[in-house]
Amino acid sequence: MTKNRLKILGLNIKFARIKKGLSQEELAELINTSRTTISMIETARQNPTILKVIDISKVLNTDINELVKDV
């Protein structure tokens, strides 16, 4: 069950990132992490901390509720 929830979160982040016109590398730089970390979050191979999700939502100018929608 948790894996599916991580997949949904990752897809929500990916779609918000693409909508904002950012690459994984650009998003990673803006939140002070690696591109690999962003990739792992988007593909549900890493469970991000709530603080990381907050940082992502701020950079993407997206309500955090949109990122966790259907999770």
Side-chain angles (χ1 to χ4, degrees):
M1 175 95 144
T2 300
K3 186 72 169 175
N4 288 336
R5 294 166 73 185
L6 286 177
K7 284 182 183 180
I8 294 167
L9 175 62
L11 287 174
N12 289 345
I13 290 171
K14 180 178 181 178
F15 292 142
R17 174 182 60 76
I18 291 170
K19 183 177 178 181
K20 184 75 172 176
L22 294 175
S23 68
Q24 288 181 340
E25 183 71 32
E26 291 167 325
L27 176 57
E29 287 179 21
L30 291 168
I31 64 166
N32 198 31
T33 194
S34 70
R35 187 211 54 82
T36 303
T37 298
I38 299 300
S39 175
M40 291 179 71
I41 291 169
E42 289 184 353
T43 58
R45 291 180 287 151
Q46 182 174 333
N47 187 356
T49 65
I50 188 63
L51 296 177
K52 187 76 68 186
V53 176
I54 291 169
D55 289 344
I56 291 170
S57 73
K58 286 181 179 179
V59 165
L60 297 179
N61 197 27
T62 302
D63 189 309
I64 194 167
N65 292 313
E66 289 299 312
L67 297 182
V68 298
K69 183 178 176 182
D70 298 325
V71 173

